[in-house]
Amino acid sequence: MLRVPSRLGVCSYRNLVFGYLKPFQRALKAMESIEMASVSLKRPIASEDLSGDSVKRQKVSTETSLKAQYVEHSSGIQNENTLDRELTLEVPAEKNEKEDIEEAELLDGETEEESPESFADMMKHGLTEIDVGITKFVSTHEGFSGILKERYSDFVVHEIGKEGKVIHLNDLSVPADEEDPSQEIYSVLSPEDKKRLEELQLFKNREDNVEIEVVEDTKEKRTYIHQAVKGLFPGLETKTEEREGKKYIIAYHAAGKKALSNPRKHSWPKARGSYCHFVLYKENKDTMDAINVLSKFLRIKPNIFSYMGTKDKRAITVQEIAVLKITAQRLAHLNKCLMNFKLGNFSYQKNPLKLGELQGNHFTVVLRNVTGTSEQIVQAMTSLRDIGFINYYGMQRFGTTAVPTYQVGRAILQSNWNEMVDLILKPRPGAEKGYLVQCREEWAKTKDPEAALRKLPVKRCVEGQLLRGLSMYGLKNIVSAFGIIPRNNRLMYIHSYQSYVWNNMVSKRIEEYGLKVVPGDLVLKGDTAVPVEEGNVDSYTINDIVMPLPGFDVIYPKHKVAAAYEEILAADNLDIKNMRHRVKDYSLAGAYRKIVIRPQVSWEVVSYDDPKIPLVQTDLDKLEGKALPEYKTEGKYRALKMEFSLPPSTYATMAIREVLKMDTSIKNQTQLNTVWLR
């Protein structure tokens, strides 16, 4: 455990309590972000509370306290409430299929862990909440300590689908399909044939194929064998060959050893919807990693999957996924092969899913070993229910390395392309994977994109994609070079800058006016923002007020906060009246976001003796008939168990921040601790 030395008693976080800190697996594969994992959190002593008028597993293989992981995808937008519209599975067209597979296999093998010292060193250069404008609370209760994500099963997320219903995994059956072959045909395969085919299907002899001799050769018999192999062993393809006067059915992996397969148009029934929708239950995997795993086992390209939002890694999450022209039977087979995944609730539909279609997420969160009194907990949760929390963009939005994503976004908006390249590629303080350090050093020394690219075994990361673009288009055409990065990943940078501005402006609004609605605040009428007039101030509450993310298609509050918007943009050499960019992709239309969210929330305090026991019953537990242990009336530890739903693009850590009164940045937590115990 990390301990706070007694000499830190004078600082504002003297009561901070930590679980274990340990960095986790893959480093900085795409935009080098770090996701906050299990962390014991405590309020600051000198918090900026408002007062007076301002407020009126297949089985879990590892479960350790406080791990932080490097996230593969896009620094800064790995969110909990998953409308991170910016995440994508696009594979640049220039990347060949062989490279896809080789890199997927390389990534799959990266399991080395960073040392705690390296993690702490990197965090010395990370961000704090103040750096990104997160400075205010709306509640007046006294904060207390609790451990968030001590076990990843303490953080359970269920997507809320397009129809507003919470999505659950509750059916593992494969839907009957009249296009499927009859059961009788499977008798054409002998037990020995089935054993060999199963080994082939499970990649135990993936470089080989299986030959089945057609003893009584007729076209009907060959057809039955083809159908039996494909029906019983999804993922295998068959062909007929003649050898020495005999006919053989050859079974092989659809994609071969290296290539990724495409959906087979000719074998998909016309009457069946083109997309198989399913519910994905996963443990300790983020959505992008999960889809990469599914793609690898199915030998298909990851970009034929679609989804409505991305989910945390260090959590148990349930969400809907769609995939193009892959059968439910083939998907269901993965339940036999994969750990910490379950697929079910299959259906065939005409359309894929789209980012942003979800209505939100439902959270079940356990804060273990809470220190607050019963009265403190009731005050905190009642405030969350009745007042809510400031709808800040969480720390995940901005990255945690020495180069925040919003700085890159600012350079893009300024058309300062050389600075943008420098921010992404230059050497930076703090710990990184060795190959990234070498790549950055090579770039700083030579400015040769091809030489720097050779230092990277993993070229899918943003550094690799940018270097490949620079080698293709040259240093005088950075716009085109940057353009080979998938569009949504590029937009993450400027969205991060918008979020940075929004956080700062909301803190300014709360500082100036507290939770009172004042003339000049903005409310939405449909999709249009209108100012609150003097005469109708009493018609609204703080939960109705929105503030704009800067752009050319929004209006700003009609009070002094409008001037603050102009000032913060002017300080970055940007003109609030001209948010269009000569590169159309980077023109900011803007949007509106509620400043305070009031969730529907329920909670209970439970007692327990064993810190390893689960305190949440998951969908998989229910399917397997596993009941939760009975809660104790008295126990060694207490946990606060809460359930709440949040709209899209809302961060659960910001709700928990309001309850505990703490700073959620990893930098703040690690800087207050100097002793690392493994």
Side-chain angles (χ1 to χ4, degrees), residues 211-274:
E211 301 174 0
I212 302 171
E213 183 180 353
V214 185
V215 179
E216 299 172 4
D217 182 27
T218 64
K219 184 175 182 181
E220 185 180 33
K221 178 75 175 289
R222 293 197 302 272
T223 299
Y224 283 165
I225 296 175
H226 285 296
Q227 290 179 337
V229 172
K230 294 177 184 178
L232 277 179
F233 303 98
L236 299 184
E237 287 290 346
T238 56
K239 60 185 177 182
T240 303
E241 289 186 1
E242 184 170 343
R243 299 176 181 177
E244 299 179 353
K246 296 180 181 180
K247 291 287 181 65
Y248 291 87
I249 305 298
I250 310 299
Y252 59 97
H253 276 287
K257 181 183 177 184
K258 291 290 185 185
L260 293 168
S261 64
N262 289 307
R264 292 172 55 82
K265 296 180 182 178
H266 65 275
S267 63
W268 195 263
K270 293 181 180 179
R272 181 194 287 165
S274 294

Side-chain angles (χ1 to χ4, degrees), residues 126-194:
L127 294 170
T128 65
E129 287 187 346
I130 292 174
D131 294 329
V132 294
I134 302 173
T135 61
K136 302 296 181 183
F137 296 97
V138 297
S139 53
T140 57
H141 69 272
E142 182 181 353
F144 52 89
S145 299
I147 302 177
L148 172 62
K149 297 188 184 181
E150 182 173 19
R151 298 166 60 88
Y152 61 73
S153 55
D154 289 345
F155 200 89
V156 180
V157 186
H158 288 86
E159 198 167 63
I160 302 174
K162 291 184 285 186
E163 308 302 322
K165 294 181 179 179
V166 177
I167 292 171
H168 287 277
L169 178 75
N170 50 30
D171 183 4
L172 300 181
S173 65
V174 175
D177 192 326
E178 60 186 25
E179 301 283 351
D180 289 339
S182 63
Q183 293 296 315
E184 291 77 28
I185 70 167
Y186 298 136
S187 62
V188 300
L189 298 175
S190 69
E192 177 61 25
D193 289 335
K194 292 178 182 178

